[in-house]
Amino acid sequence: MASWYERTILPKFLACACSGPQMMRQRSRLVPRASGRVLELGVGMGLNLAFYDPARVTSVSGVDPAPELRAMAEAAPRPEGLEVEILPGVAEDLPFEASSFDSVVCTFTLCSVHAPERALAEAMRVLKPGGRLFYCEHGLAPEPKVARWQRRIEPVWKRLAGGCRLTRPILPLLEGAGFPTGDAECAFLPKVPRFAGWNILGEAAKG
């Protein structure tokens, strides 16, 4: 059962942390690339829904384990005509058949799933051959000084931010799951604290 903090404070904390101008800019750059039948891992508050192109997307299925966040996603703005379903579920055990989606969208999600390797394996499983994973994540910074601060802050940050880890090695996780990362854009987001600002954005096709 979710705690009082998880039910009342955490959604507000995440709304503030995940909807900053730089993060919304990254969402606006990535999400319109999705096409066909789309699965969104960790749909959260539905912050991506406004950026889908209904001329390219036939439907969006979003999964999230938190009922408070799913309720916010149900009410989130989206383009007229966009077919959206919000479902309970976790990224590590998706309730969908293999090869059933054209696109999987994963934004600021791998930091908080319990088993990122399993979540990415599930993304690979449900993608059709030639389907694409669209990702935008934060993770372990390449600068040793920043990484040290990330490790120091992470135990407290994880409790405050619903299990969010600051030190997930995003590129190795993607590569290990079979998603090539040669075209990934990696940089510190401006005006974001550096401990949370190392950003990895890109897309990769299922072979």
Side-chain angles (χ1 to χ4, degrees):
M1 181 182 295
S3 68
W4 175 84
Y5 177 84
E6 292 169 329
R7 296 193 308 272
T8 59
I9 304 301
L10 181 59
K12 297 174 183 178
F13 181 94
L14 293 177
C16 180
C18 295
S19 62
Q22 295 300 327
M23 289 184 173
M24 295 304 289
R25 177 177 179 273
Q26 295 297 81
R27 296 177 194 276
S28 73
R29 295 178 59 221
L30 182 75
V31 175
R33 303 182 197 176
S35 63
R37 188 182 181 204
V38 179
L39 170 64
E40 185 167 333
L41 302 181
V43 67
M45 297 156 283
L47 294 174
N48 288 335
L49 295 179
F51 300 116
Y52 287 105
D53 182 352
R56 291 171 52 85
V57 170
T58 56
S59 66
V60 177
S61 298
V63 296
D64 201 281
E68 295 81 12
L69 298 182
R70 293 197 306 271
M72 296 171 75
E74 291 282 7
R78 76 282 308 267
E80 184 176 355
L82 182 68
E83 181 181 335
V84 176
E85 62 172 353
I86 307 297
L87 302 168
V90 294
E92 298 95 332
D93 188 17
L94 295 170
F96 304 107
E97 296 182 359
S99 303
S100 54
F101 289 94
D102 302 288
S103 303
V104 172
V105 173
C106 184
T107 60
F108 306 107
T109 296
L110 293 178
C111 60
S112 59
V113 296
H114 293 296
E117 297 90 349
R118 178 63 183 161
L120 289 169
E122 280 286 88
M124 181 68 79
R125 181 183 68 82
V126 301
L127 275 172
K128 297 176 182 178
R132 305 186 76 81
L133 172 71
F134 298 88
Y135 58 88
C136 181
E137 298 288 338
H138 73 91
L140 182 65
E143 294 186 8
K145 183 177 180 180
V146 178
R148 285 195 297 272
W149 274 108
Q150 288 178 311
R151 293 187 180 98
R152 291 169 183 163
I153 294 168
E154 185 172 80
V156 174
W157 180 261
K158 187 168 63 173
R159 291 196 295 270
L160 290 175
C164 173
R165 279 79 163 177
L166 299 171
T167 59
R168 288 267 164 92
I170 300 301
L171 291 179
L173 286 170
L174 290 165
E175 291 282 352
F179 292 109
T181 61
D183 295 329
E185 300 177 24
C186 303
F188 284 104
L189 294 179
K191 300 180 181 179
V192 175
R194 289 171 77 80
F195 73 84
W198 180 248
N199 187 250
I200 303 96
L201 181 148
E203 61 182 90
K206 176 178 178 177

